[in-house]
Amino acid sequence: MGLLDMIGPVMIGPSSSHTAGAARIAWLARKIFAAEPERAEFGLHGSFAETGEGHGTKKALLAGVLALAPDDPRIKEAERLAEEAGLAYAFREVELGDVHPNTVRIVLENAEERAVIYGSSLGGGVVKIWRIDHFEAHVTGAAPTLLVKHVDTPGVIARVARVLADDEVNIAYLTSSRDKKGGEALMSIEMDRPLAEIPLAYLNHLPYVLWARAIPPLPEAKPG
Amino acid sequence: MNFADLAKVPGPASEWVLREELEETGLERGFVLEVMRDRLRVMREAIERGLQSDAPSVAGMVGWNAKTLWEAEDPLRAPLLKRVQAYAMAVNEENARMGKIVAAPTAGSAGTVPGALFGVADHLGLPDERLVMPLVLAGGVAKIISRQVYIAGASGGCQNEIGSSAAMAAAAVTELLGGSPEASVHAAALALQNTLGLVCDPVGGYVEVPCVMRNGFFSVHAVSAAQQALAGVRSFIPPDEVVLAMAKIGRLLPPELKETGRGGLACTPTARRTVARLGGTPPDCDDPPDGG
């Protein structure tokens, strides 16, 4: 843990794991969904379900899905803002098995799309999205991340890595997961800097790429 | 770098903390300092809002204490004492009403460092810019502690949170007032060893009671440690050994006293009645809820 984690994050109280962490997971979930959600359902597991009310966990989750930054003071008005934005939402307690005690399952939907996103708040505001739909994933918001959903066919990872290499983007972390052989797969690629717009658009045009999305780092990591 | 190394550096301790951070992360010096300035601004704003507000917190147990103290007569005629603790409580009351704060090192202990640093600086008429490097040192102290323990009440009790924040604040105030690296490190050790064994037993699991006033008390505690260290008082137990003692005590503390809301103040009859009134399930405690 570095200096900026010790004097930070800048956050809305009262709890770094139950408020700031929750807001961060939901903010990342919204970026992963990449569209305007019409409905959001939050499944609260473990300590998220138990202490959620007192720590503003529900407001923080809702605010994140509304794309409010984790240090936005309007987090405490999240219910009203959701109503204004026409976002339907529900909270329920869920038992997700042997996962981190501070875990949430976020389901985001609109007329065209549906995503089921699992994230955990690991302490001190550090978070990790570890599952998206049927796929293992790795999104922490600590660095720019590229998600690529594609057909499970030989050479896709090499092809995507080539596009990144041509843009001189260094890969810090890469994980890939598929639902079944020859089915669909998801790559999570954490990078030292974001991929430029044109190579990203190029990736989205590849025939075996279903979509490629750039997930920015968490917004409050920057000063100002 | 551990405390023993940091005590021996030539020149300001904060400079060495900063150099180590830049080496570890590859970040630019200017960037890190700008982040620190930004965090000081957020701290300052939280103090200002907190001193003016008497709006109740999420669970309604706190929210007016900083303002009450700040606006009261001061029969002790000890303006520094009043300022430091009112500032610290202001930050934690903002935190408890879902205001914007800087976790330092955690949200529950967020008031101690700004309370001590801004309290002393305002008392002496020092500009905020002078606090940038002391804040870096505060972060460095937390980094050293975090190599031995998880800085979380759930991990080792409140000593891990408020003990860390008090050690950070003590070192920072010592450097602000011209103390040597050795003095800063001993200020941290003195502050830390006098929080050992402190349990994490917040009422209903809310970061309100005793957290808000505790930040007030321990910001004063940090300033006391700085005063002793600046005068030449030293910790008999070497600072790194104090951290190891804290880690051991944290392991010995029962789970009831580590942020589970199942022991200590959280198990008092009033705490259980409060949880029930707020619609929660009161914890199971050994004694009957009416206090016997």
Side-chain angles (χ1 to χ4, degrees):
Chain A
M1 297 280 266
L3 207 54
L4 308 188
D5 302 305
M6 295 299 155
I7 309 292
V10 173
M11 53 168 281
I12 300 303
S15 163
S16 52
S17 50
H18 292 90
T19 324
R24 285 174 159 194
I25 292 170
W27 188 89
L28 290 169
R30 168 65 186 268
K31 295 289 173 192
I32 291 166
F33 190 63
E36 194 87 24
E38 287 164 12
R39 279 178 306 281
E41 187 202 283
F42 304 92
L44 305 172
H45 169 89
S47 170
F48 259 21
E50 282 163 35
T51 60
E53 211 67 65
H55 288 164
T57 304
K58 291 179 179 176
K59 290 176 198 287
L61 287 169
L62 201 48
V65 164
L66 291 166
L68 295 193
D71 65 346
D72 192 319
R74 292 174 299 167
I75 284 179
K76 58 181 164 187
E77 305 156 38
E79 290 98 339
R80 185 178 61 76
L81 294 171
E83 208 165 303
E84 285 173 11
L87 175 75
Y89 61 91
F91 295 93
R92 65 188 63 214
E93 287 189 23
V94 291
E95 172 51 59
L96 299 174
D98 187 21
V99 299
H100 191 281
N102 292 328
T103 294
V104 59
R105 180 185 66 201
I106 303 177
V107 183
L108 298 178
E109 284 179 291
N110 63 21
E112 291 85 38
E113 281 194 70
R114 179 172 195 270
V116 184
I117 297 163
Y118 294 79
S120 301
S121 180
L122 307 174
V126 177
V127 301
K128 184 178 163 185
I129 305 274
W130 48 271
R131 181 174 274 276
I132 299 169
D133 298 327
H134 308 297
F135 309 101
E136 280 169 42
H138 178 93
V139 183
T140 65
T145 301
L146 182 68
L147 291 176
V148 183
K149 192 170 175 188
H150 60 92
V151 178
D152 181 38
T153 183
V156 182
I157 293 176
R159 191 64 193 272
V160 170
R162 184 77 247 163
V163 172
L164 267 68
D166 289 344
D167 194 33
E168 287 175 19
V169 169
N170 190 42
I171 295 176
Y173 187 97
L174 185 151
T175 182
S176 175
S177 152
R178 64 182 178 187
D179 55 359
K180 62 174 190 282
K181 201 174 173 182
E184 291 180 350
L186 181 76
M187 256 185 269
S188 308
I189 307 173
E190 211 167 79
M191 305 167 292
D192 286 347
R193 68 165 179 79
L195 188 65
E197 242 174 76
I198 290 171
L200 179 63
Y202 174 74
L203 283 179
N204 269 305
H205 277 94
L206 292 175
Y208 38 79
V209 169
L210 301 169
W211 50 253
R213 286 172 192 164
I215 313 301
L218 288 157
E220 79 282 24
K222 301 186 291 287
Chain B
M1 226 171 2
N2 58 16
F3 280 130
D5 299 330
L6 190 58
K8 284 188 286 220
V9 300
S14 56
E15 179 58 35
W16 293 81
V17 167
L18 183 58
R19 284 186 199 176
E20 187 189 57
E21 177 73 12
L22 301 182
E23 263 176 39
E24 285 170 1
T25 60
L27 294 172
E28 298 279 332
R29 184 187 185 87
F31 173 83
V32 172
L33 293 179
E34 197 44 51
V35 172
M36 288 294 135
R37 277 188 200 98
D38 184 59
R39 301 213 160 154
L40 282 170
R41 277 192 289 273
V42 175
M43 288 175 174
R44 171 66 90 183
E45 288 163 13
I47 291 169
E48 283 172 3
R49 286 196 313 274
L51 290 178
Q52 287 165 22
S53 175
D54 53 9
S57 58
V58 174
M61 290 183 272
V62 293
W64 47 86
N65 301 290
K67 184 180 197 302
T68 300
L69 175 62
W70 185 240
E71 291 178 354
E73 292 292 315
D74 181 15
L76 275 174
R77 294 187 200 152
L80 174 66
L81 181 62
K82 172 170 156 175
R83 189 180 286 277
V84 165
Q85 49 187 331
Y87 281 15
M89 287 156 61
V91 172
N92 277 83
E93 286 195 319
E94 275 298 292
N95 182 58
R97 62 170 84 89
M98 297 190 78
K100 186 167 168 177
I101 56 99
V102 180
T106 62
S109 62
T112 311
V113 168
L117 268 182
F118 283 101
V120 168
D122 288 357
H123 177 72
L124 299 175
L126 304 174
D128 290 2
E129 180 64 21
R130 288 274 303 276
L131 303 180
V132 176
M133 290 308 286
L135 189 64
V136 168
L137 176 56
V141 167
K143 276 176 70 175
I144 292 171
I145 296 171
S146 73
R147 291 192 191 115
Q148 306 296 337
V149 300
Y150 290 110
I151 301 185
S155 171
C158 194
Q159 58 166 11
N160 286 24
E161 296 203 26
I162 208 84
S164 298
S165 69
M168 292 158 72
V173 169
T174 303
E175 179 166 306
L176 176 67
L177 300 182
S180 65
E182 198 230 352
S184 291
V185 163
H186 276 266
L190 289 164
L192 192 59
Q193 73 190 252
N194 291 294
T195 64
L196 296 184
L198 201 60
V199 304
C200 180
D201 56 351
V203 173
Y206 294 90
V207 193
E208 301 192 5
V209 176
C211 319
V212 167
M213 265 70 96
R214 181 163 294 171
N215 274 270
F217 285 113
F218 282 90
S219 59
V220 173
H221 174 87
V223 174
S224 300
Q227 189 172 40
Q228 291 190 14
L230 284 162
V233 173
R234 293 294 177 264
S235 170
F236 181 75
I237 305 295
D240 292 300
E241 292 184 27
V242 174
V243 180
L244 292 175
M246 176 168 84
K248 281 186 189 164
I249 294 167
R251 288 193 290 272
L252 289 170
L253 283 177
E256 285 80 2
L257 301 176
K258 289 191 276 197
E259 210 178 352
T260 54
R262 292 191 281 120
L265 291 172
C267 250
T268 56
T270 299
R272 280 183 275 173
R273 277 197 300 275
T274 303
V275 171
R277 181 168 53 76
L278 292 167
T281 311
D284 281 330
C285 304
D286 290 339
D287 51 331
D290 60 2

